[in-house]
PDB file of all heavy atoms in Angstrom:
ATOM      1  N   GLN A   1      10.783   4.152  -2.051  1.00 97.00           N
ATOM      2  CA  GLN A   1      11.508   3.352  -1.057  1.00 97.00           C
ATOM      3  C   GLN A   1      12.415   2.284  -1.790  1.00 97.00           C
ATOM      4  O   GLN A   1      13.342   1.785  -1.142  1.00 97.00           O
ATOM      5  CB  GLN A   1      10.431   2.561  -0.221  1.00 97.00           C
ATOM      6  CG  GLN A   1       9.635   3.542   0.635  1.00 97.00           C
ATOM      7  CD  GLN A   1       8.476   2.836   1.282  1.00 97.00           C
ATOM      8  OE1 GLN A   1       7.874   1.907   0.704  1.00 97.00           O
ATOM      9  NE2 GLN A   1       8.107   3.241   2.516  1.00 97.00           N
ATOM     10  N   ILE A   2      12.136   2.052  -3.038  1.00 97.00           N
ATOM     11  CA  ILE A   2      12.857   0.949  -3.759  1.00 97.00           C
ATOM     12  C   ILE A   2      14.331   1.138  -3.795  1.00 97.00           C
ATOM     13  O   ILE A   2      15.072   0.170  -3.555  1.00 97.00           O
ATOM     14  CB  ILE A   2      12.172   0.732  -5.190  1.00 97.00           C
ATOM     15  CG1 ILE A   2      10.811   0.136  -5.020  1.00 97.00           C
ATOM     16  CG2 ILE A   2      13.110  -0.208  -6.014  1.00 97.00           C
ATOM     17  CD1 ILE A   2      10.090  -0.068  -6.340  1.00 97.00           C
ATOM     18  N   PRO A   3      14.882   2.276  -4.114  1.00 96.00           N
ATOM     19  CA  PRO A   3      16.326   2.408  -4.178  1.00 96.00           C
ATOM     20  C   PRO A   3      17.073   1.944  -2.987  1.00 96.00           C
ATOM     21  O   PRO A   3      18.027   1.200  -3.024  1.00 96.00           O
ATOM     22  CB  PRO A   3      16.634   3.849  -4.540  1.00 96.00           C
ATOM     23  CG  PRO A   3      15.339   4.272  -5.206  1.00 96.00           C
ATOM     24  CD  PRO A   3      14.235   3.499  -4.488  1.00 96.00           C
ATOM     25  N   VAL A   4      16.615   2.361  -1.763  1.00 95.00           N
ATOM     26  CA  VAL A   4      17.339   1.996  -0.551  1.00 95.00           C
ATOM     27  C   VAL A   4      17.135   0.568  -0.256  1.00 95.00           C
ATOM     28  O   VAL A   4      18.071  -0.123   0.244  1.00 95.00           O
ATOM     29  CB  VAL A   4      16.933   2.891   0.593  1.00 95.00           C
ATOM     30  CG1 VAL A   4      15.518   2.563   1.070  1.00 95.00           C
ATOM     31  CG2 VAL A   4      17.906   2.751   1.719  1.00 95.00           C
ATOM     32  N   LEU A   5      15.991  -0.028  -0.561  1.00 96.00           N
ATOM     33  CA  LEU A   5      15.666  -1.466  -0.299  1.00 96.00           C
ATOM     34  C   LEU A   5      16.542  -2.354  -1.251  1.00 96.00           C
ATOM     35  O   LEU A   5      17.099  -3.299  -0.819  1.00 96.00           O
ATOM     36  CB  LEU A   5      14.212  -1.760  -0.484  1.00 96.00           C
ATOM     37  CG  LEU A   5      13.358  -1.199   0.625  1.00 96.00           C
ATOM     38  CD1 LEU A   5      11.892  -1.295   0.272  1.00 96.00           C
ATOM     39  CD2 LEU A   5      13.631  -1.877   1.962  1.00 96.00           C
ATOM     40  N   LYS A   6      16.695  -1.892  -2.526  1.00 96.00           N
ATOM     41  CA  LYS A   6      17.525  -2.660  -3.424  1.00 96.00           C
ATOM     42  C   LYS A   6      18.996  -2.725  -2.989  1.00 96.00           C
ATOM     43  O   LYS A   6      19.717  -3.637  -3.160  1.00 96.00           O
ATOM     44  CB  LYS A   6      17.456  -2.075  -4.895  1.00 96.00           C
ATOM     45  CG  LYS A   6      16.188  -2.545  -5.619  1.00 96.00           C
ATOM     46  CD  LYS A   6      16.184  -2.098  -6.984  1.00 96.00           C
ATOM     47  CE  LYS A   6      15.053  -2.667  -7.802  1.00 96.00           C
ATOM     48  NZ  LYS A   6      15.092  -2.237  -9.187  1.00 96.00           N
ATOM     49  N   LYS A   7      19.420  -1.544  -2.388  1.00 95.00           N
ATOM     50  CA  LYS A   7      20.770  -1.415  -1.859  1.00 95.00           C
ATOM     51  C   LYS A   7      20.985  -2.268  -0.672  1.00 95.00           C
ATOM     52  O   LYS A   7      22.085  -2.851  -0.512  1.00 95.00           O
ATOM     53  CB  LYS A   7      21.019   0.030  -1.591  1.00 95.00           C
ATOM     54  CG  LYS A   7      22.402   0.445  -1.295  1.00 95.00           C
ATOM     55  CD  LYS A   7      22.436   1.955  -1.099  1.00 95.00           C
ATOM     56  CE  LYS A   7      23.793   2.452  -0.523  1.00 95.00           C
ATOM     57  NZ  LYS A   7      23.752   3.915  -0.403  1.00 95.00           N
ATOM     58  N   TYR A   8      20.050  -2.445   0.137  1.00 94.00           N
ATOM     59  CA  TYR A   8      20.153  -3.206   1.420  1.00 94.00           C
ATOM     60  C   TYR A   8      19.925  -4.620   1.337  1.00 94.00           C
ATOM     61  O   TYR A   8      20.602  -5.519   1.904  1.00 94.00           O
ATOM     62  CB  TYR A   8      19.300  -2.565   2.529  1.00 94.00           C
ATOM     63  CG  TYR A   8      19.191  -3.416   3.760  1.00 94.00           C
ATOM     64  CD1 TYR A   8      20.347  -3.555   4.582  1.00 94.00           C
ATOM     65  CD2 TYR A   8      18.055  -4.141   4.041  1.00 94.00           C
ATOM     66  CE1 TYR A   8      20.316  -4.352   5.731  1.00 94.00           C
ATOM     67  CE2 TYR A   8      17.990  -4.900   5.178  1.00 94.00           C
ATOM     68  CZ  TYR A   8      19.108  -5.010   6.059  1.00 94.00           C
ATOM     69  OH  TYR A   8      19.044  -5.830   7.140  1.00 94.00           O
ATOM     70  N   LEU A   9      18.789  -5.044   0.681  1.00 94.00           N
ATOM     71  CA  LEU A   9      18.362  -6.475   0.724  1.00 94.00           C
ATOM     72  C   LEU A   9      19.303  -7.330  -0.120  1.00 94.00           C
ATOM     73  O   LEU A   9      19.691  -6.972  -1.207  1.00 94.00           O
ATOM     74  CB  LEU A   9      16.893  -6.530   0.170  1.00 94.00           C
ATOM     75  CG  LEU A   9      15.872  -5.757   0.978  1.00 94.00           C
ATOM     76  CD1 LEU A   9      14.527  -5.700   0.323  1.00 94.00           C
ATOM     77  CD2 LEU A   9      15.800  -6.286   2.365  1.00 94.00           C
ATOM     78  N   THR A  10      19.560  -8.512   0.431  1.00 90.00           N
ATOM     79  CA  THR A  10      20.466  -9.433  -0.179  1.00 90.00           C
ATOM     80  C   THR A  10      19.745 -10.694  -0.776  1.00 90.00           C
ATOM     81  O   THR A  10      20.361 -11.463  -1.602  1.00 90.00           O
ATOM     82  CB  THR A  10      21.509  -9.923   0.861  1.00 90.00           C
ATOM     83  OG1 THR A  10      20.812 -10.489   1.940  1.00 90.00           O
ATOM     84  CG2 THR A  10      22.359  -8.763   1.272  1.00 90.00           C
ATOM     85  N   ALA A  11      18.534 -10.902  -0.469  1.00 89.00           N
ATOM     86  CA  ALA A  11      17.772 -12.027  -0.986  1.00 89.00           C
ATOM     87  C   ALA A  11      17.266 -11.817  -2.381  1.00 89.00           C
ATOM     88  O   ALA A  11      17.289 -10.615  -2.839  1.00 89.00           O
ATOM     89  CB  ALA A  11      16.606 -12.353  -0.050  1.00 89.00           C
ATOM     90  N   THR A  12      16.844 -12.823  -3.045  1.00 92.00           N
ATOM     91  CA  THR A  12      16.327 -12.731  -4.384  1.00 92.00           C
ATOM     92  C   THR A  12      14.863 -12.173  -4.170  1.00 92.00           C
ATOM     93  O   THR A  12      13.887 -12.891  -3.816  1.00 92.00           O
ATOM     94  CB  THR A  12      16.205 -14.019  -5.161  1.00 92.00           C
ATOM     95  OG1 THR A  12      17.541 -14.515  -5.181  1.00 92.00           O
ATOM     96  CG2 THR A  12      15.703 -13.801  -6.529  1.00 92.00           C
ATOM     97  N   ILE A  13      14.636 -10.824  -4.488  1.00 96.00           N
ATOM     98  CA  ILE A  13      13.426 -10.172  -4.164  1.00 96.00           C
ATOM     99  C   ILE A  13      12.951  -9.458  -5.431  1.00 96.00           C
ATOM    100  O   ILE A  13      13.756  -8.617  -6.033  1.00 96.00           O
ATOM    101  CB  ILE A  13      13.483  -9.227  -2.998  1.00 96.00           C
ATOM    102  CG1 ILE A  13      13.751 -10.004  -1.733  1.00 96.00           C
ATOM    103  CG2 ILE A  13      12.180  -8.434  -2.804  1.00 96.00           C
ATOM    104  CD1 ILE A  13      13.918  -9.179  -0.494  1.00 96.00           C
ATOM    105  N   HIS A  14      11.717  -9.572  -5.830  1.00 96.00           N
ATOM    106  CA  HIS A  14      11.057  -8.810  -6.872  1.00 96.00           C
ATOM    107  C   HIS A  14      10.297  -7.671  -6.147  1.00 96.00           C
ATOM    108  O   HIS A  14       9.647  -7.909  -5.135  1.00 96.00           O
ATOM    109  CB  HIS A  14      10.098  -9.690  -7.717  1.00 96.00           C
ATOM    110  CG  HIS A  14       9.338  -8.960  -8.655  1.00 96.00           C
ATOM    111  ND1 HIS A  14       9.886  -8.418  -9.865  1.00 96.00           N
ATOM    112  CD2 HIS A  14       8.016  -8.581  -8.690  1.00 96.00           C
ATOM    113  CE1 HIS A  14       8.983  -7.754 -10.483  1.00 96.00           C
ATOM    114  NE2 HIS A  14       7.788  -7.791  -9.833  1.00 96.00           N
ATOM    115  N   PHE A  15      10.418  -6.470  -6.739  1.00 97.00           N
ATOM    116  CA  PHE A  15       9.703  -5.348  -6.210  1.00 97.00           C
ATOM    117  C   PHE A  15       8.454  -4.961  -6.926  1.00 97.00           C
ATOM    118  O   PHE A  15       8.527  -4.953  -8.148  1.00 97.00           O
ATOM    119  CB  PHE A  15      10.667  -4.142  -6.153  1.00 97.00           C
ATOM    120  CG  PHE A  15      11.810  -4.321  -5.099  1.00 97.00           C
ATOM    121  CD1 PHE A  15      12.983  -4.956  -5.635  1.00 97.00           C
ATOM    122  CD2 PHE A  15      11.664  -3.909  -3.871  1.00 97.00           C
ATOM    123  CE1 PHE A  15      14.042  -5.064  -4.719  1.00 97.00           C
ATOM    124  CE2 PHE A  15      12.740  -4.111  -2.983  1.00 97.00           C
ATOM    125  CZ  PHE A  15      13.940  -4.711  -3.410  1.00 97.00           C
ATOM    126  N   SER A  16       7.372  -4.761  -6.191  1.00 95.00           N
ATOM    127  CA  SER A  16       6.146  -4.261  -6.816  1.00 95.00           C
ATOM    128  C   SER A  16       5.963  -2.867  -6.125  1.00 95.00           C
ATOM    129  O   SER A  16       6.013  -2.743  -4.930  1.00 95.00           O
ATOM    130  CB  SER A  16       4.992  -5.097  -6.523  1.00 95.00           C
ATOM    131  OG  SER A  16       5.131  -6.333  -7.216  1.00 95.00           O
ATOM    132  N   SER A  17       5.790  -1.816  -6.981  1.00 96.00           N
ATOM    133  CA  SER A  17       5.773  -0.459  -6.368  1.00 96.00           C
ATOM    134  C   SER A  17       4.345   0.091  -6.451  1.00 96.00           C
ATOM    135  O   SER A  17       3.562  -0.122  -7.285  1.00 96.00           O
ATOM    136  CB  SER A  17       6.771   0.451  -7.040  1.00 96.00           C
ATOM    137  OG  SER A  17       6.366   0.708  -8.348  1.00 96.00           O
ATOM    138  N   ILE A  18       4.112   0.932  -5.397  1.00 96.00           N
ATOM    139  CA  ILE A  18       2.880   1.776  -5.313  1.00 96.00           C
ATOM    140  C   ILE A  18       3.282   3.148  -5.748  1.00 96.00           C
ATOM    141  O   ILE A  18       4.277   3.728  -5.128  1.00 96.00           O
ATOM    142  CB  ILE A  18       2.405   1.793  -3.837  1.00 96.00           C
ATOM    143  CG1 ILE A  18       2.104   0.383  -3.358  1.00 96.00           C
ATOM    144  CG2 ILE A  18       1.150   2.676  -3.797  1.00 96.00           C
ATOM    145  CD1 ILE A  18       1.912   0.328  -1.822  1.00 96.00           C
ATOM    146  N   ASP A  19       2.705   3.633  -6.743  1.00 96.00           N
ATOM    147  CA  ASP A  19       2.967   5.059  -7.184  1.00 96.00           C
ATOM    148  C   ASP A  19       2.459   6.028  -6.148  1.00 96.00           C
ATOM    149  O   ASP A  19       1.230   6.081  -5.922  1.00 96.00           O
ATOM    150  CB  ASP A  19       2.306   5.250  -8.542  1.00 96.00           C
ATOM    151  CG  ASP A  19       2.534   6.655  -9.120  1.00 96.00           C
ATOM    152  OD1 ASP A  19       2.155   7.649  -8.476  1.00 96.00           O
ATOM    153  OD2 ASP A  19       3.247   6.693 -10.219  1.00 96.00           O
ATOM    154  N   LEU A  20       3.336   6.790  -5.574  1.00 95.00           N
ATOM    155  CA  LEU A  20       2.950   7.596  -4.467  1.00 95.00           C
ATOM    156  C   LEU A  20       1.966   8.717  -4.900  1.00 95.00           C
ATOM    157  O   LEU A  20       1.050   9.033  -4.212  1.00 95.00           O
ATOM    158  CB  LEU A  20       4.236   8.361  -3.928  1.00 95.00           C
ATOM    159  CG  LEU A  20       3.949   9.238  -2.661  1.00 95.00           C
ATOM    160  CD1 LEU A  20       3.562   8.378  -1.453  1.00 95.00           C
ATOM    161  CD2 LEU A  20       5.142  10.067  -2.313  1.00 95.00           C
ATOM    162  N   CYS A  21       2.142   9.272  -6.096  1.00 93.00           N
ATOM    163  CA  CYS A  21       1.252  10.314  -6.628  1.00 93.00           C
ATOM    164  C   CYS A  21      -0.190   9.779  -6.787  1.00 93.00           C
ATOM    165  O   CYS A  21      -1.209  10.377  -6.378  1.00 93.00           O
ATOM    166  CB  CYS A  21       1.715  10.886  -7.940  1.00 93.00           C
ATOM    167  SG  CYS A  21       3.274  11.848  -7.734  1.00 93.00           S
ATOM    168  N   LYS A  22      -0.276   8.553  -7.400  1.00 93.00           N
ATOM    169  CA  LYS A  22      -1.565   7.907  -7.511  1.00 93.00           C
ATOM    170  C   LYS A  22      -2.226   7.624  -6.216  1.00 93.00           C
ATOM    171  O   LYS A  22      -3.433   7.731  -6.023  1.00 93.00           O
ATOM    172  CB  LYS A  22      -1.471   6.651  -8.389  1.00 93.00           C
ATOM    173  CG  LYS A  22      -1.149   6.932  -9.844  1.00 93.00           C
ATOM    174  CD  LYS A  22      -1.142   5.688 -10.604  1.00 93.00           C
ATOM    175  CE  LYS A  22      -0.788   5.921 -12.101  1.00 93.00           C
ATOM    176  NZ  LYS A  22      -0.601   4.640 -12.831  1.00 93.00           N
ATOM    177  N   PHE A  23      -1.409   7.135  -5.260  1.00 93.00           N
ATOM    178  CA  PHE A  23      -1.938   6.772  -3.899  1.00 93.00           C
ATOM    179  C   PHE A  23      -2.473   8.042  -3.234  1.00 93.00           C
ATOM    180  O   PHE A  23      -3.576   8.087  -2.707  1.00 93.00           O
ATOM    181  CB  PHE A  23      -0.795   6.224  -3.084  1.00 93.00           C
ATOM    182  CG  PHE A  23      -1.238   6.067  -1.654  1.00 93.00           C
ATOM    183  CD1 PHE A  23      -2.067   5.090  -1.270  1.00 93.00           C
ATOM    184  CD2 PHE A  23      -0.800   7.049  -0.665  1.00 93.00           C
ATOM    185  CE1 PHE A  23      -2.453   4.936   0.098  1.00 93.00           C
ATOM    186  CE2 PHE A  23      -1.205   6.890   0.602  1.00 93.00           C
ATOM    187  CZ  PHE A  23      -2.063   5.889   0.999  1.00 93.00           C
ATOM    188  N   LYS A  24      -1.786   9.182  -3.315  1.00 93.00           N
ATOM    189  CA  LYS A  24      -2.199  10.423  -2.669  1.00 93.00           C
ATOM    190  C   LYS A  24      -3.550  10.881  -3.304  1.00 93.00           C
ATOM    191  O   LYS A  24      -4.412  11.309  -2.557  1.00 93.00           O
ATOM    192  CB  LYS A  24      -1.185  11.510  -2.847  1.00 93.00           C
ATOM    193  CG  LYS A  24       0.044  11.311  -1.937  1.00 93.00           C
ATOM    194  CD  LYS A  24       1.200  12.215  -2.112  1.00 93.00           C
ATOM    195  CE  LYS A  24       0.916  13.582  -2.425  1.00 93.00           C
ATOM    196  NZ  LYS A  24       2.175  14.409  -2.584  1.00 93.00           N
ATOM    197  N   ARG A  25      -3.659  10.784  -4.609  1.00 91.00           N
ATOM    198  CA  ARG A  25      -4.979  11.109  -5.277  1.00 91.00           C
ATOM    199  C   ARG A  25      -6.052  10.214  -4.883  1.00 91.00           C
ATOM    200  O   ARG A  25      -7.193  10.585  -4.558  1.00 91.00           O
ATOM    201  CB  ARG A  25      -4.795  11.263  -6.792  1.00 91.00           C
ATOM    202  CG  ARG A  25      -4.070  12.460  -7.267  1.00 91.00           C
ATOM    203  CD  ARG A  25      -4.190  12.597  -8.770  1.00 91.00           C
ATOM    204  NE  ARG A  25      -3.753  11.455  -9.515  1.00 91.00           N
ATOM    205  CZ  ARG A  25      -2.473  11.254  -9.985  1.00 91.00           C
ATOM    206  NH1 ARG A  25      -1.571  12.110  -9.760  1.00 91.00           N
ATOM    207  NH2 ARG A  25      -2.192  10.133 -10.668  1.00 91.00           N
ATOM    208  N   GLY A  26      -5.780   8.854  -5.005  1.00 88.00           N
ATOM    209  CA  GLY A  26      -6.837   7.943  -4.759  1.00 88.00           C
ATOM    210  C   GLY A  26      -7.307   7.650  -3.354  1.00 88.00           C
ATOM    211  O   GLY A  26      -8.444   7.396  -2.999  1.00 88.00           O
ATOM    212  N   PHE A  27      -6.300   7.702  -2.433  1.00 87.00           N
ATOM    213  CA  PHE A  27      -6.587   7.314  -1.030  1.00 87.00           C
ATOM    214  C   PHE A  27      -6.695   8.566  -0.117  1.00 87.00           C
ATOM    215  O   PHE A  27      -7.488   8.586   0.817  1.00 87.00           O
ATOM    216  CB  PHE A  27      -5.594   6.414  -0.450  1.00 87.00           C
ATOM    217  CG  PHE A  27      -5.839   4.968  -0.770  1.00 87.00           C
ATOM    218  CD1 PHE A  27      -5.489   4.451  -2.046  1.00 87.00           C
ATOM    219  CD2 PHE A  27      -6.380   4.106   0.213  1.00 87.00           C
ATOM    220  CE1 PHE A  27      -5.729   3.138  -2.351  1.00 87.00           C
ATOM    221  CE2 PHE A  27      -6.631   2.798  -0.104  1.00 87.00           C
ATOM    222  CZ  PHE A  27      -6.296   2.312  -1.400  1.00 87.00           C
ATOM    223  N   LEU A  28      -5.865   9.566  -0.333  1.00 85.00           N
ATOM    224  CA  LEU A  28      -5.852  10.701   0.522  1.00 85.00           C
ATOM    225  C   LEU A  28      -6.542  11.917  -0.090  1.00 85.00           C
ATOM    226  O   LEU A  28      -6.672  12.981   0.543  1.00 85.00           O
ATOM    227  CB  LEU A  28      -4.394  11.135   0.865  1.00 85.00           C
ATOM    228  CG  LEU A  28      -3.483  10.019   1.557  1.00 85.00           C
ATOM    229  CD1 LEU A  28      -2.109  10.464   1.763  1.00 85.00           C
ATOM    230  CD2 LEU A  28      -4.178   9.510   2.789  1.00 85.00           C
ATOM    231  N   HIS A  29      -6.952  11.723  -1.295  1.00 84.00           N
ATOM    232  CA  HIS A  29      -7.783  12.726  -2.039  1.00 84.00           C
ATOM    233  C   HIS A  29      -7.008  14.096  -2.111  1.00 84.00           C
ATOM    234  O   HIS A  29      -7.534  15.090  -1.947  1.00 84.00           O
ATOM    235  CB  HIS A  29      -9.130  12.933  -1.446  1.00 84.00           C
ATOM    236  CG  HIS A  29      -9.831  11.656  -1.289  1.00 84.00           C
ATOM    237  ND1 HIS A  29     -10.275  10.881  -2.395  1.00 84.00           N
ATOM    238  CD2 HIS A  29     -10.219  10.990  -0.213  1.00 84.00           C
ATOM    239  CE1 HIS A  29     -10.860   9.812  -1.993  1.00 84.00           C
ATOM    240  NE2 HIS A  29     -10.840   9.804  -0.659  1.00 84.00           N
TER     241      HIS A  29
END
């Protein structure tokens, strides 16, 4: 999601990302 958010958001925002692959393994098994 980060690329589109960086393109749209205009405020000073730091991004912290959730690795989708790790999430799928850890939460959705």
Side-chain angles (χ1 to χ4, degrees):
Q1 297 167 326
I2 290 177
V4 73
L5 289 169
K6 281 186 173 180
K7 188 173 169 182
Y8 169 70
L9 299 171
T10 56
T12 304
I13 296 177
H14 173 74
F15 292 89
S16 297
S17 67
I18 303 166
D19 183 295
L20 184 67
C21 292
K22 288 181 182 177
F23 171 77
K24 285 170 42 177
R25 283 192 306 269
F27 276 80
L28 302 178
H29 309 294

